[in-house]
Amino acid sequence: MNEANPVKGDDLAVYTLLELANFSGVELTGHTITLPFQSGEGTLKQAQIEPGFHISCWDLQLKDSLTINRPERIPGQPRLFQLYFILTPDQFHIDGPSMARELRFNASMETLFESGDADFTYTFAPGKAAKVLVLQLHPDWLMNTFGQDDTSFARFLNKMVSEEKAFVFHEPVSLTLQQSLTEFHNHFISENRDRLYNKARALTLLSDFLYGLSLRSTLDNSPAAYYEEKIRAVEDILRQHLESQLPCIRTIAEKVSLSESTLKRYFHQIYRRSIYDYYLQLKMEHARHLLEEKQIAVKEVAYQLGYEKCSSFILMFKKFYSESPGFFRQKTLLNPGGV
């Protein structure tokens, strides 16, 4: 793995390295920055997997807020696609002139994929851990690796690479992937330089994401793209009812002017799970937020989320996170900001 020089170009990792070095008052000499005590604690590490395919890993806890600006791509320069796995989304938000709205994430982990064109800023909140894994992809590497066959997937990638319009796509990370992401993040940020392991894990993450994106693409004129606005409106309805009774599927479908069957089909195509399963995930993520940020007692959280029996809430929380809400709350109290 090449670690002699930072990646060249106007990619986000380079700006992050430079801005973080300036912020903390350290000299950038390679691919890794370790924060001095006066700035906070943590590390930002970057490495080349293959020419045209790089990975960055952020594990930071800053004493002061830091906002980093990434200007839009210079005309004539190739795109550099960026795929973020944001392990602490509530400590990280994105805004900018080319964004339709500020992105403040609500899930326990988020995926963000962008075309490298947009000018935007992203901000680290002070005093709390910010953990992000970023894959940077040159279009030529992408097509040489995945786009050589005459398949619908390869045609999707070709369309995405040749598309002139900037795009930003984001979605929650599935619960099944969260543990794997955490393990890879911790492995990469450590001193372990297992090149083959890092390459295999990064390629698996990337291929799974791109293949899933091709099935529910919002970059073409597929039916999923036509219905996406309505399906996103359904997500808003689910979030509005995390502490109240969720309307039945028929009522939700009527609110967005879709049939029940159409709603269920395209919701699953976009989110890769049923409406109810996704609603439960949002509900449990909200429970984690209440336990961690508000430090509310377990019984109060159960009552606030509409559970008649606290035991039912505890069972559901353990199903999602493999630990009881009481144990999670205790960890939070002992190690605030580090859960």
Side-chain angles (χ1 to χ4, degrees), residues 43-56:
T43 300
L44 190 151
K45 183 178 179 182
Q46 183 185 29
Q48 176 177 282
I49 301 297
E50 292 181 350
F53 182 29
H54 299 84
I55 185 169
S56 297

Side-chain angles (χ1 to χ4, degrees), residues 41 57 60 91 101 137 202 226 332:
E41 59 183 359
C57 193
L60 307 168
Q91 315 307 335
R101 59 184 174 85
L137 322 165
Y226 174 78
T332 304

Side-chain angles (χ1 to χ4, degrees), residues 130-188:
K131 300 183 179 184
V132 184
L133 193 68
V134 190
L135 305 183
Q136 294 118 2
L137 322 165
H138 191 282
D140 291 345
W141 177 88
L142 194 59
M143 293 307 299
N144 289 335
T145 304
F146 296 107
Q148 298 300 306
D149 299 326
D150 184 21
T151 62
S152 58
F153 179 51
R155 289 191 291 273
F156 159 77
L157 291 179
N158 185 66
K159 182 178 180 65
M160 183 183 75
V161 167
S162 60
E163 177 67 56
E164 290 296 325
K165 185 178 179 181
F167 67 83
V168 177
F169 173 86
H170 68 95
E171 66 177 3
V173 173
S174 67
L175 289 171
T176 55
L177 183 57
Q178 289 183 17
Q179 183 62 36
S180 177
L181 269 176
T182 300
E183 291 173 355
F184 183 35
H185 175 276
N186 293 341
H187 177 90
F188 188 85

Side-chain angles (χ1 to χ4, degrees), residues 26 40 62 77 107 150 182 188 197 217 249 264 281 319 335 337:
V26 299
L62 305 180
Q77 287 191 347
D150 184 21
T182 300
F188 188 85
Y197 174 86
S217 171
I249 301 299
K264 290 177 180 178
Q281 178 178 335
K319 179 180 178 181
N335 186 26

Side-chain angles (χ1 to χ4, degrees), residues 9 43 47 192 210 301 313 329:
T43 300
N192 193 316
L210 289 176
V301 172
F313 165 64
R329 183 172 183 271

